[in-house]
Amino acid sequence: MDVPALNRDRTTLGVLGIAVLAAVVRLVGLGTRVFHWDEARIGYWILQYMETGLWNYRPVVHGPFLFHTNDVLFQAFGPTDFVARVAVAVVGALLPLAALLFRERLEHLETLVLAAFLAFNPVLLYYSRFMRNDVLVAAFAFVALGSFVRLIDTGRSRYLYVGSGLLALAATTKGIVVVYLVIWVGTLVLVADSRLLVARFRGGSPAAVARDYASSLAGRLERWALPLWIAVVEFLVVFAVLYAPRPELYQAFGDPTRLLGVVEAATVDVWWELWDTWIAADHEHSYVDFLLADAKRLSATSLVVTLFGILGFLVDRYGRRRSRDVIIVGFAWAAGAFLIFPAVTNISAAWGLVHTVVPLAIPAAVGVGVIVEKAARLRRLDDRVGAVAISIVVLLATAQVGVTAYQTSFASPQSADNPLVQYGQPAGHLQETLSDVERIADSNTGTDVLFYGDQFYVANESRPSAGENWSNRLPVSWYLERADAEVESTMQVGGLSDPPPVVFARASDYSEVNAELDGYEALAYELTATGTETVFFLDRSALPESG
């Protein structure tokens, strides 16, 4: 049931208003949280790409989208934490607009609620304020699906090209798009099965229905042969251009004989690297443990969308004369992602829930519509107590989403008690101290920073990321790289005889390091959620005078 005051224009305006609010909550304070380890290593390698012009696909850092996008943004606006995250934030803010692509399949109220879930779900809000690919791949794939739905509803070829291009962009963000495609095939099977069951219960012949659909599909494919080929070419061009190694791609423009090798590297080689690293790899972890961890996080952060999603699917599937295909697709996609992701990842982290929550928002919107319809029915029956009770449930659910979103993204975005915080997120508020380190590096001559101890030592500081201890320096490496700091490391106390103005050491080495440093201020921070307390020794006399 729709709210009587809603119509097509008001629904569209409502969705636009929700998208504006989504942008506000994603952009405000976007640079205040210190970089997570994952953000820092990607950011570091983006800076390396900017400096050298060299880029090749490495599956462990996922696709090229963030590399190429942030390369442009960093050159235009500088490599700040805000700028590094802004592309993901903008995509996350625009995602609620995708609700309008389903407006022919959803009622007005359901369309508005879908936009609201995509805008304010705590998981989506938190990871829209994070330089990771999960929101990107989910958003691009979701809008691609919506474009294909609009193609079916309108018959306009532009939606085919939009969907193809966005699916290609999704493929340039993260390899899990392969899992998406597998799930989508499975959902189509479910939709077909649902149609056949309906035909059977209505006394028709499932075989006849299957033949009719096959004949209709064959006719459509024949009529759409040229647009489909154009869409395939579009997909391959976008995919190949973004995955093509640099500078080989640019060299191929001057020497076309190199083009075939570049295309092969951007397609065939990429596939086999993805296959070896993620698909065929043996992920040595307990699937059950990862699944239970995700279930716990989902209940802590997205209970509302989960319960409404289940309700919406069940009512639409079993409580109505005919279920809607888009509800089946949304629920099956969400369920498939929730069950499969723990098996294909090597880290148990809340960002994997993005792939569940985005499609689950469709049946969840229907679930809210069911509750509103029930309240309206009770009001018509003059059951004010029942109507008020349901209204309170909706208000409490809305408040729960808002409070959780505020707590996780703004009140405690770095706290280990936050269910969305992964281990690699520093618990301490390092920003002011890191800013001082960058200022020192900018004005100092000679070595700016020294890492002390066997957990930080790297033999070749000209290629530090190749050293096995380099990751222990994260996220500091990102801040040092953007400051163009001169960095050295040592495991010998004697290496501190002529120390630079900044020294890093583990807290366990504090006494021996502190004894060698005269006049340095010592500040201790966790470089992860727990267990990595590190001391920043700063010679504040090396700080340039402000102003």
Side-chain angles (χ1 to χ4, degrees):
M1 173 184 173
D2 248 326
V3 176
L6 288 177
N7 57 35
R8 187 184 183 93
D9 291 339
R10 289 174 179 174
T11 300
T12 300
L13 287 174
V15 171
L16 291 173
I18 289 170
V20 170
L21 291 176
V24 171
V25 296
R26 280 158 175 77
L27 295 175
V28 170
L30 184 61
T32 56
R33 176 178 55 81
V34 70
F35 255 30
H36 180 278
W37 276 33
D38 204 50
E39 292 177 294
R41 69 189 181 106
I42 301 300
Y44 177 91
W45 283 321
I46 292 173
L47 294 177
Q48 291 287 298
Y49 169 40
M50 292 175 62
E51 181 179 345
T52 65
L54 301 174
W55 184 87
N56 285 279
Y57 174 57
R58 289 183 290 178
V60 293
V61 293
H62 304 298
F65 182 87
L66 276 175
F67 279 81
H68 300 322
T69 301
N70 277 354
D71 174 27
V72 174
L73 291 174
F74 287 174
Q75 292 191 49
F77 304 106
T80 67
D81 292 0
F82 181 97
V83 173
R85 294 169 175 148
V86 76
V88 181
V90 169
V91 170
L94 294 175
L95 179 58
L97 297 177
L100 296 174
L101 295 171
F102 300 93
R103 60 184 177 269
E104 303 295 337
R105 307 298 181 104
L106 300 175
E107 297 179 352
H108 296 315
L109 176 63
E110 292 170 344
T111 302
L112 279 175
V113 175
L114 172 58
F117 276 133
L118 295 174
F120 305 117
N121 173 267
V123 175
L124 299 184
L125 176 58
Y126 188 87
Y127 287 107
S128 291
R129 297 167 56 85
F130 200 111
M131 191 182 70
R132 271 192 66 85
N133 289 290
D134 296 278
V135 166
L136 295 175
V137 65
F140 290 149
F142 189 78
V143 179
L145 176 67
S147 299
F148 296 143
V149 170
R150 288 293 292 166
L151 170 65
I152 295 171
D153 291 342
T154 67
R156 295 171 182 168
S157 59
R158 64 171 178 261
Y159 289 111
L160 173 63
Y161 305 135
V162 170
S164 176
L166 286 168
L167 194 58
L169 287 180
T172 66
T173 58
K174 198 169 184 180
I176 197 174
V177 73
V178 175
V179 176
Y180 280 16
L181 296 177
V182 172
I183 293 173
W184 286 3
V185 171
T187 61
L188 291 178
V189 173
L190 287 176
V191 169
D193 180 68
S194 176
R195 298 271 182 97
L196 296 177
L197 286 175
V198 168
R200 180 180 179 184
F201 285 118
R202 289 182 176 178
S205 168
V209 171
R211 285 195 299 270
D212 289 343
Y213 276 116
S215 176
S216 175
L217 179 61
R220 290 183 179 182
L221 290 176
E222 184 177 354
R223 291 194 302 273
W224 284 81
L226 180 58
L228 284 171
W229 276 113
I230 294 173
V232 169
V233 171
E234 175 195 13
F235 178 95
L236 292 175
V237 168
V238 172
F239 185 95
V241 167
L242 289 181
Y243 271 102
R246 269 66 164 176
E248 289 84 349
L249 174 64
Y250 309 124
Q251 293 169 350
F253 292 138
D255 183 2
T257 61
R258 298 185 178 187
L259 187 59
L260 184 60
V262 170
V263 172
E264 182 179 6
T267 53
V268 178
D269 292 351
V270 164
W271 168 253
W272 286 116
E273 289 187 56
L274 175 66
W275 176 272
D276 291 339
T277 304
W278 292 112
I279 301 175
D282 183 14
H283 300 289
E284 297 180 359
H285 63 263
S286 169
Y287 170 77
V288 174
D289 287 348
F290 275 32
L291 183 66
L292 291 177
D294 277 352
K296 184 178 180 179
R297 296 185 190 104
L298 191 67
S299 65
T301 62
S302 302
L303 185 62
V304 170
V305 74
T306 301
L307 294 179
F308 277 120
I310 293 172
L311 174 65
F313 170 74
L314 292 177
V315 171
D316 196 81
R317 175 77 168 172
Y318 302 108
R320 293 176 175 171
R321 294 177 62 86
R322 181 172 180 177
S323 60
R324 287 172 283 180
D325 295 343
V326 71
I327 313 304
I328 298 174
V329 170
F331 188 81
W333 178 0
F338 181 74
L339 294 173
I340 294 174
F341 192 82
V344 299
T345 186
N346 59 353
I347 296 176
S348 179
W351 52 62
L353 297 180
V354 168
H355 310 293
T356 295
V357 171
V358 168
L360 188 60
I362 296 176
V366 175
V368 173
V370 169
I371 295 296
V372 172
E373 181 179 0
K374 179 66 174 178
R377 187 180 301 116
L378 291 175
R379 284 198 299 271
R380 288 196 301 270
L381 295 174
D382 204 25
D383 184 352
R384 297 183 179 180
V385 174
V388 169
I390 291 179
S391 299
I392 291 174
V393 169
V394 174
L395 288 174
L396 288 176
T398 303
Q400 196 272 343
V401 171
V403 170
T404 303
Y406 171 75
Q407 288 291 335
T408 52
S409 287
F410 297 99
S412 56
Q414 297 176 217
S415 171
D417 296 328
N418 183 339
L420 296 179
V421 169
Q422 197 267 344
Y423 171 77
Q425 176 62 54
H429 296 280
L430 295 73
Q431 291 89 332
E432 184 175 346
T433 301
L434 287 169
S435 177
D436 288 342
V437 171
E438 291 185 87
R439 289 173 59 207
I440 290 172
D442 186 56
S443 61
N444 186 58
T445 56
T447 301
D448 304 310
V449 174
L450 180 70
F451 283 96
Y452 173 81
D454 57 0
Q455 292 191 45
F456 290 136
Y457 178 74
V458 171
N460 183 6
E461 288 292 347
S462 63
R463 296 184 63 247
S465 61
E468 60 179 337
N469 292 324
W470 177 79
S471 62
N472 294 330
R473 301 176 179 182
L474 296 171
V476 175
S477 298
W478 150 256
Y479 297 96
L480 297 180
E481 182 67 16
R482 76 180 189 183
D484 197 23
E486 290 291 330
V487 178
E488 296 291 342
S489 60
T490 183
M491 291 191 293
Q492 305 297 324
V493 176
L496 300 173
S497 58
D498 184 22
V502 179
V503 177
F504 292 99
R506 286 290 193 224
S508 57
D509 295 322
Y510 169 79
S511 297
E512 58 187 284
V513 174
N514 187 61
E516 299 291 325
L517 301 176
D518 184 28
Y520 282 65
E521 180 180 4
L523 301 162
Y525 298 101
E526 291 279 10
L527 294 188
T528 59
T530 57
T532 54
E533 191 174 22
T534 300
V535 182
F536 293 33
F537 293 92
L538 270 66
D539 178 4
R540 291 205 171 272
S541 67
L543 276 167
E545 294 184 6
S546 59

